Amino acid sequence: MKSKNLTGIIVSAIFSILILNFQFIYIFTDVNYYTQEYSFQNDSSKEINKIKSAVAGSLDLDETSTSGLWVWVESDDWITFEFWTIPSTVIEVSFVDETEWNTKPKDGIFTNGTFWGEGSEGNGIFYPSHEGTWIIVFRNPTYASTEVYYNIEISPLIILNPSLSTTAYTDSTLEITWKSNLGAWVNLELYKGNSFKSTLLYHTYNDGYASAYIPEDFSEGDNYKVKITDENSGEFDFSEQFSIRHPTIEIVYPFQDDVYIPHTTRSIIWLGLGINSSVNIELYLNSTKILQISNETSNDGEFRWTVWQGEEYAQNTYSTYQIQIKDINAQKYIGSSLFFTITKERYLSILTPTSNNSFKTGNSLNISWETDSTAYKVNIRIMQENIIIENITDVRNNGFYQWKIPSDFKNGTNYYLRIEAPDNSVNATSELFTIEYIPRLKVSGYNIPLFSIFIGLMVGIFTFRYKKKDDNSYLKIKLEKTRV
């Protein structure tokens, strides 16, 4: 009896284990199927039933699932939205109409909707193509559940500019743009934080664009907002916060204690914000204007200046120069540089060659000069009637250079030198000198003066004749000895 009971217990246990194993296999297979075919969570409770309304809330988004947030829009409405996930999970966001939603693709990806993007958080504006029900689709492609928090607004009025990146300037105009399907007239107001600041435009046409003047006495700040209100319905919208600044001109270069040398080229660099498109540039010494550098130049932030302080000040070095830049149409906006130095005008004097010196081709010409220029090298040009005959560059600025006159230079009495520093700080021109061409015979790559050849021939002939005379005398003496 006990044996039969034990047998029954064993059989029952084996049967139970088989059933549990079967259930485990079934559940596991079902889970796999669930992860492959996205679930659709129709959150009709989240539907926004009223036009021109806003809603904030959250919804659970299971692993590998898709949820939709239903909204109703009229023609020309748009949807502004923001979302974030907790825990942070990268999800996909799309917009589809009701017909597309009902297709419920197995992979959760709608082919005819509008894919906004993906991320763990984000915000944007969506413009539906037609009136009706639209669904904001949140798709979770991961194997981890998350909760999506959202703020949704369906609005017939939205301000596009100014935005967070906008900086407006006092004493100038602010460009304002918006979209609206409301009445014909709107009012535009300016707020600082939550406080009313001023009415920008009253009873202006609702065409989506306006230009409003920002008074000069407004304080600077980063929390200004524009409010647009429909006169008929009272519907309104605030822009994003933006900044208001005073116009400024900040000179970057010359920098404090910079040293400029007359006739060199330097850059004047500045940052002109909130001013007009053109400026003028002036040079000051001890707060007194001494030179107009430019009557008008573009407000592009850089001007290439050939340094010059005027003849009256060129023979002295001063360290109290300043550059001033002014708005060409509003001279009250001025930028001044820090003090910098302009040295006295550098000099360079050519010592040799001098007037009426004469040189022969193939010989050397000693060039010498003196200068107070700090330039490391100079360039030497051999000139004739404003034409560069030979250009000798990168010559050490030590006051001396030996130049071998090429053998093919032509005769001329109007040669001269020009020596200048590469930075244009100094230059000088010599007096006229002469180069005399000496004809030469080329033998095996060597240039031999014809005069030298003539002298060589004459010496050779004389030597031969003298030797021949000596030979004849020797023969005559020998014959006489033989006769004796």
Side-chain angles (χ1 to χ4, degrees), residues 167-209:
T167 299
Y169 292 92
T170 58
D171 196 25
S172 63
T173 56
L174 170 65
E175 307 299 316
I176 304 170
T177 57
W178 68 92
K179 287 178 67 68
S180 172
N181 59 5
L182 298 175
W185 305 101
V186 292
N187 298 323
L188 279 68
E189 299 168 324
L190 183 67
Y191 279 71
K192 192 174 191 300
N194 295 321
S195 301
F196 172 79
K197 184 71 176 178
S198 71
T199 297
L200 298 176
L201 293 169
Y202 176 75
H203 193 66
T204 191
Y205 189 62
N206 183 22
D207 59 358
Y209 173 81

mmCIF file of all heavy atoms in Angstrom, residues 167-209:
data_model
loop_
_atom_site.group_PDB
_atom_site.id
_atom_site.type_symbol
_atom_site.label_atom_id
_atom_site.label_comp_id
_atom_site.label_asym_id
_atom_site.label_seq_id
_atom_site.Cartn_x
_atom_site.Cartn_y
_atom_site.Cartn_z
ATOM 1 N N THR A 167 20.042 89.089 -29.842
ATOM 2 C CA THR A 167 20.537 90.236 -29.083
ATOM 3 C C THR A 167 20.117 91.496 -29.817
ATOM 4 O O THR A 167 20.497 91.703 -30.979
ATOM 5 C CB THR A 167 22.068 90.203 -28.940
ATOM 6 O OG1 THR A 167 22.457 89.024 -28.230
ATOM 7 C CG2 THR A 167 22.563 91.426 -28.180
ATOM 8 N N ALA A 168 19.308 92.308 -29.174
ATOM 9 C CA ALA A 168 18.863 93.573 -29.744
ATOM 10 C C ALA A 168 19.661 94.700 -29.097
ATOM 11 O O ALA A 168 20.224 94.542 -28.006
ATOM 12 C CB ALA A 168 17.372 93.779 -29.509
ATOM 13 N N TYR A 169 19.701 95.854 -29.784
ATOM 14 C CA TYR A 169 20.484 96.985 -29.286
ATOM 15 C C TYR A 169 19.595 98.208 -29.162
ATOM 16 O O TYR A 169 18.696 98.433 -29.984
ATOM 17 C CB TYR A 169 21.652 97.264 -30.223
ATOM 18 C CG TYR A 169 22.671 96.156 -30.203
ATOM 19 C CD1 TYR A 169 22.585 95.111 -31.116
ATOM 20 C CD2 TYR A 169 23.685 96.134 -29.250
ATOM 21 C CE1 TYR A 169 23.505 94.062 -31.089
ATOM 22 C CE2 TYR A 169 24.602 95.091 -29.219
ATOM 23 C CZ TYR A 169 24.508 94.064 -30.136
ATOM 24 O OH TYR A 169 25.401 93.035 -30.096
ATOM 25 N N THR A 170 19.850 98.977 -28.093
ATOM 26 C CA THR A 170 19.093 100.212 -27.899
ATOM 27 C C THR A 170 19.395 101.189 -29.033
ATOM 28 O O THR A 170 20.430 101.090 -29.706
ATOM 29 C CB THR A 170 19.460 100.852 -26.554
ATOM 30 O OG1 THR A 170 20.877 101.109 -26.523
ATOM 31 C CG2 THR A 170 19.103 99.941 -25.399
ATOM 32 N N ASP A 171 18.474 102.126 -29.223
ATOM 33 C CA ASP A 171 18.598 103.126 -30.282
ATOM 34 C C ASP A 171 18.652 102.476 -31.662
ATOM 35 O O ASP A 171 19.296 102.977 -32.584
ATOM 36 C CB ASP A 171 19.829 103.997 -30.054
ATOM 37 C CG ASP A 171 19.799 105.280 -30.895
ATOM 38 O OD1 ASP A 171 18.683 105.720 -31.255
ATOM 39 O OD2 ASP A 171 20.874 105.824 -31.199
ATOM 40 N N SER A 172 17.976 101.326 -31.778
ATOM 41 C CA SER A 172 17.906 100.632 -33.068
ATOM 42 C C SER A 172 16.599 99.849 -33.112
ATOM 43 O O SER A 172 15.807 99.882 -32.164
ATOM 44 C CB SER A 172 19.103 99.703 -33.258
ATOM 45 O OG SER A 172 19.113 98.690 -32.282
ATOM 46 N N THR A 173 16.369 99.143 -34.200
ATOM 47 C CA THR A 173 15.100 98.439 -34.377
ATOM 48 C C THR A 173 15.257 96.950 -34.115
ATOM 49 O O THR A 173 16.317 96.364 -34.330
ATOM 50 C CB THR A 173 14.555 98.638 -35.800
ATOM 51 O OG1 THR A 173 15.536 98.216 -36.749
ATOM 52 C CG2 THR A 173 14.203 100.099 -36.027
ATOM 53 N N LEU A 174 14.192 96.351 -33.630
ATOM 54 C CA LEU A 174 14.120 94.915 -33.375
ATOM 55 C C LEU A 174 13.172 94.294 -34.395
ATOM 56 O O LEU A 174 12.031 94.731 -34.536
ATOM 57 C CB LEU A 174 13.617 94.652 -31.956
ATOM 58 C CG LEU A 174 13.257 93.211 -31.608
ATOM 59 C CD1 LEU A 174 14.490 92.320 -31.646
ATOM 60 C CD2 LEU A 174 12.572 93.135 -30.243
ATOM 61 N N GLU A 175 13.656 93.281 -35.121
ATOM 62 C CA GLU A 175 12.815 92.579 -36.090
ATOM 63 C C GLU A 175 11.988 91.525 -35.364
ATOM 64 O O GLU A 175 12.538 90.662 -34.665
ATOM 65 C CB GLU A 175 13.676 91.912 -37.160
ATOM 66 C CG GLU A 175 14.662 92.848 -37.853
ATOM 67 C CD GLU A 175 13.966 93.970 -38.578
ATOM 68 O OE1 GLU A 175 12.956 93.699 -39.262
ATOM 69 O OE2 GLU A 175 14.414 95.126 -38.443
ATOM 70 N N ILE A 176 10.656 91.580 -35.531
ATOM 71 C CA ILE A 176 9.740 90.653 -34.853
ATOM 72 C C ILE A 176 8.958 89.880 -35.917
ATOM 73 O O ILE A 176 8.380 90.488 -36.817
ATOM 74 C CB ILE A 176 8.768 91.402 -33.925
ATOM 75 C CG1 ILE A 176 9.558 92.241 -32.906
ATOM 76 C CG2 ILE A 176 7.834 90.424 -33.199
ATOM 77 C CD1 ILE A 176 8.708 93.192 -32.105
ATOM 78 N N THR A 177 8.959 88.556 -35.812
ATOM 79 C CA THR A 177 8.198 87.730 -36.753
ATOM 80 C C THR A 177 7.350 86.740 -35.965
ATOM 81 O O THR A 177 7.738 86.292 -34.871
ATOM 82 C CB THR A 177 9.119 86.964 -37.713
ATOM 83 O OG1 THR A 177 10.029 86.152 -36.968
ATOM 84 C CG2 THR A 177 9.914 87.920 -38.593
ATOM 85 N N TRP A 178 6.201 86.400 -36.528
ATOM 86 C CA TRP A 178 5.290 85.469 -35.861
ATOM 87 C C TRP A 178 4.393 84.794 -36.889
ATOM 88 O O TRP A 178 4.349 85.201 -38.059
ATOM 89 C CB TRP A 178 4.452 86.204 -34.815
ATOM 90 C CG TRP A 178 3.456 87.195 -35.368
ATOM 91 C CD1 TRP A 178 2.147 86.960 -35.687
ATOM 92 C CD2 TRP A 178 3.703 88.578 -35.686
ATOM 93 N NE1 TRP A 178 1.548 88.102 -36.167
ATOM 94 C CE2 TRP A 178 2.479 89.118 -36.179
ATOM 95 C CE3 TRP A 178 4.811 89.410 -35.606
ATOM 96 C CZ2 TRP A 178 2.352 90.438 -36.586
ATOM 97 C CZ3 TRP A 178 4.683 90.727 -36.005
ATOM 98 C CH2 TRP A 178 3.469 91.240 -36.495
ATOM 99 N N LYS A 179 3.690 83.743 -36.441
ATOM 100 C CA LYS A 179 2.660 83.082 -37.249
ATOM 101 C C LYS A 179 1.348 83.167 -36.480
ATOM 102 O O LYS A 179 1.321 82.952 -35.269
ATOM 103 C CB LYS A 179 3.015 81.628 -37.530
ATOM 104 C CG LYS A 179 4.139 81.448 -38.540
ATOM 105 C CD LYS A 179 4.469 79.989 -38.739
ATOM 106 C CE LYS A 179 3.346 79.230 -39.415
ATOM 107 N NZ LYS A 179 3.147 79.648 -40.820
ATOM 108 N N SER A 180 0.278 83.460 -37.214
ATOM 109 C CA SER A 180 -1.015 83.599 -36.545
ATOM 110 C C SER A 180 -2.144 83.374 -37.550
ATOM 111 O O SER A 180 -2.045 83.756 -38.717
ATOM 112 C CB SER A 180 -1.141 85.001 -35.935
ATOM 113 O OG SER A 180 -2.442 85.208 -35.449
ATOM 114 N N ASN A 181 -3.209 82.720 -37.075
ATOM 115 C CA ASN A 181 -4.422 82.590 -37.897
ATOM 116 C C ASN A 181 -5.597 83.286 -37.213
ATOM 117 O O ASN A 181 -6.742 82.887 -37.355
ATOM 118 C CB ASN A 181 -4.747 81.119 -38.166
ATOM 119 C CG ASN A 181 -4.966 80.324 -36.880
ATOM 120 O OD1 ASN A 181 -4.968 80.896 -35.791
ATOM 121 N ND2 ASN A 181 -5.156 79.026 -37.014
ATOM 122 N N LEU A 182 -5.259 84.333 -36.429
ATOM 123 C CA LEU A 182 -6.290 85.066 -35.682
ATOM 124 C C LEU A 182 -6.783 86.253 -36.500
ATOM 125 O O LEU A 182 -6.794 86.217 -37.724
ATOM 126 C CB LEU A 182 -5.717 85.484 -34.331
ATOM 127 C CG LEU A 182 -5.304 84.312 -33.412
ATOM 128 C CD1 LEU A 182 -4.631 84.832 -32.165
ATOM 129 C CD2 LEU A 182 -6.521 83.458 -33.062
ATOM 130 N N GLY A 183 -7.180 87.323 -35.794
ATOM 131 C CA GLY A 183 -7.794 88.472 -36.447
ATOM 132 C C GLY A 183 -6.816 89.328 -37.220
ATOM 133 O O GLY A 183 -5.617 88.998 -37.368
ATOM 134 N N ALA A 184 -7.279 90.479 -37.683
ATOM 135 C CA ALA A 184 -6.497 91.327 -38.577
ATOM 136 C C ALA A 184 -5.514 92.220 -37.836
ATOM 137 O O ALA A 184 -4.533 92.682 -38.426
ATOM 138 C CB ALA A 184 -7.435 92.194 -39.420
ATOM 139 N N TRP A 185 -5.743 92.475 -36.531
ATOM 140 C CA TRP A 185 -4.908 93.451 -35.826
ATOM 141 C C TRP A 185 -4.364 92.866 -34.521
ATOM 142 O O TRP A 185 -5.060 92.140 -33.812
ATOM 143 C CB TRP A 185 -5.716 94.730 -35.516
ATOM 144 C CG TRP A 185 -6.327 95.322 -36.737
ATOM 145 C CD1 TRP A 185 -7.620 95.219 -37.151
ATOM 146 C CD2 TRP A 185 -5.646 96.091 -37.729
ATOM 147 N NE1 TRP A 185 -7.820 95.871 -38.337
ATOM 148 C CE2 TRP A 185 -6.609 96.436 -38.725
ATOM 149 C CE3 TRP A 185 -4.345 96.546 -37.900
ATOM 150 C CZ2 TRP A 185 -6.290 97.174 -39.841
ATOM 151 C CZ3 TRP A 185 -4.028 97.290 -39.021
ATOM 152 C CH2 TRP A 185 -4.997 97.604 -39.974
ATOM 153 N N VAL A 186 -3.105 93.230 -34.226
ATOM 154 C CA VAL A 186 -2.468 92.762 -32.990
ATOM 155 C C VAL A 186 -1.731 93.922 -32.341
ATOM 156 O O VAL A 186 -1.424 94.935 -32.978
ATOM 157 C CB VAL A 186 -1.470 91.615 -33.266
ATOM 158 C CG1 VAL A 186 -2.191 90.354 -33.713
ATOM 159 C CG2 VAL A 186 -0.406 92.028 -34.267
ATOM 160 N N ASN A 187 -1.441 93.761 -31.048
ATOM 161 C CA ASN A 187 -0.629 94.715 -30.300
ATOM 162 C C ASN A 187 0.673 94.035 -29.865
ATOM 163 O O ASN A 187 0.663 92.860 -29.494
ATOM 164 C CB ASN A 187 -1.377 95.223 -29.065
ATOM 165 C CG ASN A 187 -2.663 95.962 -29.433
ATOM 166 O OD1 ASN A 187 -2.704 96.675 -30.434
ATOM 167 N ND2 ASN A 187 -3.704 95.776 -28.626
ATOM 168 N N LEU A 188 1.767 94.794 -29.900
ATOM 169 C CA LEU A 188 3.072 94.270 -29.519
ATOM 170 C C LEU A 188 3.593 95.025 -28.305
ATOM 171 O O LEU A 188 3.643 96.265 -28.308
ATOM 172 C CB LEU A 188 4.079 94.403 -30.669
ATOM 173 C CG LEU A 188 4.036 93.333 -31.769
ATOM 174 C CD1 LEU A 188 2.748 93.438 -32.579
ATOM 175 C CD2 LEU A 188 5.231 93.480 -32.703
ATOM 176 N N GLU A 189 3.956 94.284 -27.267
ATOM 177 C CA GLU A 189 4.444 94.882 -26.020
ATOM 178 C C GLU A 189 5.779 94.258 -25.628
ATOM 179 O O GLU A 189 6.089 93.125 -26.003
ATOM 180 C CB GLU A 189 3.434 94.670 -24.893
ATOM 181 C CG GLU A 189 2.087 95.314 -25.161
ATOM 182 C CD GLU A 189 1.028 94.856 -24.169
ATOM 183 O OE1 GLU A 189 1.062 93.666 -23.771
ATOM 184 O OE2 GLU A 189 0.181 95.677 -23.791
ATOM 185 N N LEU A 190 6.551 95.006 -24.858
ATOM 186 C CA LEU A 190 7.841 94.529 -24.376
ATOM 187 C C LEU A 190 7.778 94.337 -22.865
ATOM 188 O O LEU A 190 7.323 95.216 -22.130
ATOM 189 C CB LEU A 190 8.954 95.528 -24.734
ATOM 190 C CG LEU A 190 10.372 95.108 -24.356
ATOM 191 C CD1 LEU A 190 10.807 93.896 -25.184
ATOM 192 C CD2 LEU A 190 11.351 96.255 -24.545
ATOM 193 N N TYR A 191 8.269 93.185 -22.414
ATOM 194 C CA TYR A 191 8.330 92.865 -20.997
ATOM 195 C C TYR A 191 9.777 92.616 -20.593
ATOM 196 O O TYR A 191 10.579 92.100 -21.379
ATOM 197 C CB TYR A 191 7.506 91.607 -20.686
ATOM 198 C CG TYR A 191 6.021 91.870 -20.545
ATOM 199 C CD1 TYR A 191 5.245 92.198 -21.655
ATOM 200 C CD2 TYR A 191 5.389 91.788 -19.315
ATOM 201 C CE1 TYR A 191 3.880 92.440 -21.538
ATOM 202 C CE2 TYR A 191 4.021 92.025 -19.169
ATOM 203 C CZ TYR A 191 3.280 92.353 -20.288
ATOM 204 O OH TYR A 191 1.939 92.594 -20.159
ATOM 205 N N LYS A 192 10.093 92.975 -19.370
ATOM 206 C CA LYS A 192 11.386 92.617 -18.774
ATOM 207 C C LYS A 192 11.087 91.720 -17.591
ATOM 208 O O LYS A 192 10.545 92.156 -16.583
ATOM 209 C CB LYS A 192 12.161 93.851 -18.327
ATOM 210 C CG LYS A 192 13.622 93.555 -17.960
ATOM 211 C CD LYS A 192 14.382 94.850 -17.674
ATOM 212 C CE LYS A 192 15.874 94.593 -17.570
ATOM 213 N NZ LYS A 192 16.239 93.663 -16.509
ATOM 214 N N GLY A 193 11.419 90.421 -17.775
ATOM 215 C CA GLY A 193 10.946 89.447 -16.805
ATOM 216 C C GLY A 193 9.435 89.346 -16.914
ATOM 217 O O GLY A 193 8.891 89.172 -18.005
ATOM 218 N N ASN A 194 8.758 89.504 -15.801
ATOM 219 C CA ASN A 194 7.294 89.488 -15.804
ATOM 220 C C ASN A 194 6.697 90.887 -15.726
ATOM 221 O O ASN A 194 5.482 91.043 -15.540
ATOM 222 C CB ASN A 194 6.784 88.646 -14.621
ATOM 223 C CG ASN A 194 7.159 87.185 -14.746
ATOM 224 O OD1 ASN A 194 7.121 86.631 -15.842
ATOM 225 N ND2 ASN A 194 7.531 86.562 -13.631
ATOM 226 N N SER A 195 7.535 91.910 -15.866
ATOM 227 C CA SER A 195 7.062 93.295 -15.718
ATOM 228 C C SER A 195 6.924 93.962 -17.089
ATOM 229 O O SER A 195 7.830 93.867 -17.936
ATOM 230 C CB SER A 195 8.051 94.094 -14.866
ATOM 231 O OG SER A 195 8.199 93.508 -13.587
ATOM 232 N N PHE A 196 5.793 94.626 -17.263
ATOM 233 C CA PHE A 196 5.557 95.368 -18.498
ATOM 234 C C PHE A 196 6.561 96.515 -18.605
ATOM 235 O O PHE A 196 6.801 97.246 -17.647
ATOM 236 C CB PHE A 196 4.128 95.927 -18.490
ATOM 237 C CG PHE A 196 3.836 96.859 -19.633
ATOM 238 C CD1 PHE A 196 3.557 96.375 -20.895
ATOM 239 C CD2 PHE A 196 3.857 98.237 -19.432
ATOM 240 C CE1 PHE A 196 3.289 97.241 -21.945
ATOM 241 C CE2 PHE A 196 3.587 99.111 -20.477
ATOM 242 C CZ PHE A 196 3.306 98.614 -21.736
ATOM 243 N N LYS A 197 7.158 96.647 -19.794
ATOM 244 C CA LYS A 197 8.158 97.687 -20.013
ATOM 245 C C LYS A 197 7.611 98.808 -20.890
ATOM 246 O O LYS A 197 7.665 99.982 -20.520
ATOM 247 C CB LYS A 197 9.405 97.081 -20.662
ATOM 248 C CG LYS A 197 10.562 98.054 -20.845
ATOM 249 C CD LYS A 197 11.194 98.409 -19.513
ATOM 250 C CE LYS A 197 12.417 99.300 -19.708
ATOM 251 N NZ LYS A 197 13.014 99.703 -18.434
ATOM 252 N N SER A 198 7.060 98.456 -22.046
ATOM 253 C CA SER A 198 6.513 99.487 -22.933
ATOM 254 C C SER A 198 5.705 98.827 -24.043
ATOM 255 O O SER A 198 5.829 97.626 -24.293
ATOM 256 C CB SER A 198 7.631 100.337 -23.549
ATOM 257 O OG SER A 198 8.358 99.578 -24.503
ATOM 258 N N THR A 199 4.882 99.642 -24.688
ATOM 259 C CA THR A 199 4.164 99.195 -25.886
ATOM 260 C C THR A 199 5.048 99.478 -27.092
ATOM 261 O O THR A 199 5.409 100.628 -27.360
ATOM 262 C CB THR A 199 2.820 99.918 -26.029
ATOM 263 O OG1 THR A 199 1.994 99.587 -24.904
ATOM 264 C CG2 THR A 199 2.121 99.501 -27.310
ATOM 265 N N LEU A 200 5.399 98.426 -27.818
ATOM 266 C CA LEU A 200 6.256 98.592 -29.002
ATOM 267 C C LEU A 200 5.443 99.077 -30.194
ATOM 268 O O LEU A 200 5.822 100.033 -30.866
ATOM 269 C CB LEU A 200 6.955 97.268 -29.337
ATOM 270 C CG LEU A 200 7.913 96.713 -28.261
ATOM 271 C CD1 LEU A 200 8.457 95.356 -28.694
ATOM 272 C CD2 LEU A 200 9.056 97.693 -28.014
ATOM 273 N N LEU A 201 4.321 98.399 -30.462
ATOM 274 C CA LEU A 201 3.451 98.781 -31.582
ATOM 275 C C LEU A 201 2.000 98.525 -31.170
ATOM 276 O O LEU A 201 1.679 97.480 -30.587
ATOM 277 C CB LEU A 201 3.782 97.972 -32.844
ATOM 278 C CG LEU A 201 5.142 98.230 -33.499
ATOM 279 C CD1 LEU A 201 5.426 97.182 -34.556
ATOM 280 C CD2 LEU A 201 5.184 99.629 -34.105
ATOM 281 N N TYR A 202 1.133 99.482 -31.492
ATOM 282 C CA TYR A 202 -0.282 99.354 -31.164
ATOM 283 C C TYR A 202 -1.086 99.297 -32.458
ATOM 284 O O TYR A 202 -0.862 100.078 -33.388
ATOM 285 C CB TYR A 202 -0.734 100.537 -30.311
ATOM 286 C CG TYR A 202 -2.210 100.526 -29.997
ATOM 287 C CD1 TYR A 202 -2.726 99.643 -29.043
ATOM 288 C CD2 TYR A 202 -3.077 101.379 -30.669
ATOM 289 C CE1 TYR A 202 -4.078 99.621 -28.754
ATOM 290 C CE2 TYR A 202 -4.446 101.362 -30.394
ATOM 291 C CZ TYR A 202 -4.941 100.478 -29.422
ATOM 292 O OH TYR A 202 -6.279 100.453 -29.157
ATOM 293 N N HIS A 203 -2.042 98.345 -32.491
ATOM 294 C CA HIS A 203 -2.955 98.211 -33.622
ATOM 295 C C HIS A 203 -2.156 98.088 -34.936
ATOM 296 O O HIS A 203 -2.314 98.875 -35.858
ATOM 297 C CB HIS A 203 -3.903 99.412 -33.688
ATOM 298 C CG HIS A 203 -5.061 99.203 -34.629
ATOM 299 N ND1 HIS A 203 -6.031 98.259 -34.401
ATOM 300 C CD2 HIS A 203 -5.387 99.817 -35.813
ATOM 301 C CE1 HIS A 203 -6.921 98.314 -35.383
ATOM 302 N NE2 HIS A 203 -6.542 99.238 -36.252
ATOM 303 N N THR A 204 -1.305 97.056 -34.975
ATOM 304 C CA THR A 204 -0.526 96.819 -36.190
ATOM 305 C C THR A 204 -1.099 95.622 -36.930
ATOM 306 O O THR A 204 -1.695 94.719 -36.325
ATOM 307 C CB THR A 204 0.957 96.595 -35.856
ATOM 308 O OG1 THR A 204 1.733 96.619 -37.043
ATOM 309 C CG2 THR A 204 1.182 95.253 -35.162
ATOM 310 N N TYR A 205 -0.902 95.627 -38.229
ATOM 311 C CA TYR A 205 -1.530 94.600 -39.067
ATOM 312 C C TYR A 205 -0.913 93.227 -38.778
ATOM 313 O O TYR A 205 0.306 93.091 -38.637
ATOM 314 C CB TYR A 205 -1.365 94.948 -40.542
ATOM 315 C CG TYR A 205 -2.164 94.061 -41.467
ATOM 316 C CD1 TYR A 205 -3.555 94.021 -41.387
ATOM 317 C CD2 TYR A 205 -1.523 93.245 -42.396
ATOM 318 C CE1 TYR A 205 -4.292 93.206 -42.226
ATOM 319 C CE2 TYR A 205 -2.246 92.423 -43.242
ATOM 320 C CZ TYR A 205 -3.642 92.402 -43.150
ATOM 321 O OH TYR A 205 -4.371 91.590 -43.977
ATOM 322 N N ASN A 206 -1.773 92.223 -38.715
ATOM 323 C CA ASN A 206 -1.357 90.861 -38.376
ATOM 324 C C ASN A 206 -0.840 90.132 -39.625
ATOM 325 O O ASN A 206 -1.449 89.186 -40.124
ATOM 326 C CB ASN A 206 -2.536 90.097 -37.759
ATOM 327 C CG ASN A 206 -2.149 88.690 -37.317
ATOM 328 O OD1 ASN A 206 -0.983 88.398 -37.084
ATOM 329 N ND2 ASN A 206 -3.151 87.812 -37.214
ATOM 330 N N ASP A 207 0.326 90.593 -40.110
ATOM 331 C CA ASP A 207 0.900 89.970 -41.307
ATOM 332 C C ASP A 207 2.147 89.148 -40.988
ATOM 333 O O ASP A 207 2.829 88.661 -41.887
ATOM 334 C CB ASP A 207 1.244 91.030 -42.350
ATOM 335 C CG ASP A 207 2.238 92.057 -41.842
ATOM 336 O OD1 ASP A 207 2.636 91.967 -40.663
ATOM 337 O OD2 ASP A 207 2.629 92.951 -42.624
ATOM 338 N N GLY A 208 2.484 89.014 -39.696
ATOM 339 C CA GLY A 208 3.592 88.158 -39.312
ATOM 340 C C GLY A 208 4.945 88.844 -39.247
ATOM 341 O O GLY A 208 5.956 88.182 -38.968
ATOM 342 N N TYR A 209 4.975 90.174 -39.476
ATOM 343 C CA TYR A 209 6.266 90.866 -39.434
ATOM 344 C C TYR A 209 6.075 92.292 -38.918
ATOM 345 O O TYR A 209 5.104 92.977 -39.277
ATOM 346 C CB TYR A 209 6.905 90.926 -40.821
ATOM 347 C CG TYR A 209 8.156 91.783 -40.843
ATOM 348 C CD1 TYR A 209 9.366 91.264 -40.409
ATOM 349 C CD2 TYR A 209 8.112 93.115 -41.256
ATOM 350 C CE1 TYR A 209 10.516 92.037 -40.399
ATOM 351 C CE2 TYR A 209 9.250 93.900 -41.242
ATOM 352 C CZ TYR A 209 10.447 93.356 -40.815
ATOM 353 O OH TYR A 209 11.569 94.133 -40.794
#
